[in-house]
Amino acid sequence: MVRGLAQSATATHVFCAPGNPGIAEVAERVPIAEDDVGGLIDFARTHGVDLSVVGPKAPLLDGIVDAFEAAGLAVFGPRRDAALLEGSKSFAKALMHERGIPTARSASFTDFDAALAHVRRHGAPVVIKADGLAAGKGVVVATDLAEAEAALRDAMLRRTFGDAGARVVVEERLSGEEVSLMAFVDGDTVRPMVPAQDHKPVFDGDVGPNTGGMGAYSPVPRFGPREVAHAMDTILGPVARAMTAAGRPLRGVLYAGLMLTDQGPAVIEFNVRFGDPEAQVVLPRLDGDLAQILHATATGRLDEVDVAWRDEAAVCIVMASAGYPGPYAKGVPIDLPQVAPSDRAVVFHAGTETQDGRVVTRGGRVLGVTGIGADVADARAHAEALVRRVHFEGAHSRSDIAWRAVRR
């Protein structure tokens, strides 16, 4: 997001709070925490900030947009009552079932015994989801009843995910290929972005535990303009209108995680922010001024701007810490090469920080290396070439990102 805003002709200066060493290359970092709403509002007022853009989900659910609007400041993102679409899986499920939006059959529970009885009655495989935010770790795809019971105990009794597991959603397991489709939304006005496909499992061949995403690519051969239009007509458009009708107008980003089933696309989850790592392959394909689009969305004028996309492809390969998604070391020095425009690639920092003048690891997913090319295979080649030039001890990345598109 910051890179896209820094490239916008209408953005004269970009601040980022708190930012990271990579963001410092394109914007001015501000030492204010994401949950210091008062400090952020004071900064925006003092520095004459025309638009504030909220990236993380937790501040959205805590009402940061409501606070900025109350202070008379333009802000991109949904208000707290609309952010519930991501913050509560049971809320999202109820809305979809009510509006006939395709999704897996499900039931929600606050009582462990009732949830367990439901699972035993319907059998496995089954998906167990903590209702609230669980840092991307609150979903278990249980292949048998023992695994399902363990997931329920972890969420509801042991409270592994804190209050997020006080309520769980139990749903049928859908089969198919997953696709992410995001859109800019301003009430009933919805402008789709280009689709992307994420890779959750940590190892090549889609094996191993799920992560926050080991890479992504765009475009998706199986999900072209016709499929995007269908999803807009049957899912994203109806959801936006349903939120408006419910008195919770959505403004910002609507992210739909879709399963391409034999019966058509069905919703796995909704987010109300840019996806990670999907944004790293979607936003580089934007053919327009990101700041202008976000400002128009935030001020109720999305219908007045065009949203266009380049025909180029993008592939993002995540470089992760050794051990991720399990325990991992922090503070590992990173050797970063100089990147030229001719490399057709960029390094996005995720879990990094600076120690004693050196860039070091801070998180499980450390870097996202995105390549741009004429097609997906070309873009992947540019990303892989840059990955080979980046070094830190224990660095792990998948070598088969975008394998479906390349094979097709």
Side-chain angles (χ1 to χ4, degrees), residues 14-31:
V14 181
F15 303 98
C16 184
N20 61 37
I23 286 174
E25 298 175 5
V26 294
E28 181 179 343
R29 294 181 65 182
V30 178

Side-chain angles (χ1 to χ4, degrees), residues 121-376:
R121 184 165 60 252
H122 290 274
V126 67
V127 181
I128 310 294
K129 296 181 177 181
D131 180 63
L133 298 182
K137 300 176 182 178
V139 178
V140 175
V141 181
T143 57
D144 55 42
L145 291 178
E147 192 176 359
E149 181 173 346
L152 290 173
R153 289 186 182 278
D154 284 343
M156 305 187 78
L157 300 183
R158 299 189 181 95
R159 292 298 178 92
T160 303
F161 310 113
D163 291 340
R167 179 186 296 272
V168 299
V169 173
V170 180
E171 65 180 40
E172 65 173 327
R173 179 182 179 180
L174 298 176
S175 297
E177 195 173 323
E178 293 187 34
V179 170
S180 303
L181 180 60
M182 297 184 286
F184 299 107
V185 182
D186 167 21
D188 290 351
T189 303
V190 186
R191 296 282 187 268
M193 303 184 207
V194 286
Q197 187 168 77
D198 188 10
H199 295 64
K200 293 293 187 185
V202 69
F203 299 123
D204 284 12
D206 288 332
V207 299
N210 277 349
T211 69
M214 291 299 295
Y217 69 93
S218 177
V220 182
R222 190 181 166 185
F223 205 77
R226 180 182 299 178
E227 288 77 17
V228 169
H230 176 72
M232 290 292 294
D233 289 341
T234 60
I235 295 173
L236 282 82
V239 166
R241 292 191 293 272
M243 292 293 287
T244 299
R248 303 170 181 265
L250 185 61
R251 181 172 288 175
V253 171
L254 174 58
Y255 167 114
L258 306 175
M259 184 72 77
L260 306 185
T261 72
D262 292 338
Q263 290 74 42
V267 177
I268 304 171
E269 65 174 348
F270 286 123
N271 293 338
V272 292
R273 59 196 163 82
F274 287 106
D276 174 15
E278 291 93 341
Q280 288 92 302
V281 296
V282 169
L283 290 182
R285 296 187 60 203
L286 179 66
D287 187 13
D289 190 307
L290 180 61
Q292 183 184 51
I293 294 170
L294 300 190
H295 191 268
T297 304
T299 55
R301 298 179 297 104
L302 178 58
D303 60 341
E304 300 176 10
V305 298
D306 293 326
V307 180
W309 303 92
R310 299 186 179 94
D311 290 334
E312 295 174 313
V315 173
C316 176
I317 299 174
V318 170
M319 300 186 71
S321 297
Y324 176 77
Y328 52 84
K330 299 181 180 181
V332 179
I334 307 171
D335 292 324
L336 292 163
Q338 291 293 321
V339 181
S342 59
D343 292 321
R344 300 284 282 158
V346 61
V347 177
F348 291 112
H349 290 231
T352 68
E353 63 183 355
T354 304
Q355 288 183 359
D356 301 323
R358 291 203 63 179
V359 178
V360 301
T361 64
R362 181 180 58 85
R365 292 188 294 168
V366 180
L367 304 167
V369 180
T370 295
I372 306 295
D375 54 31
V376 172

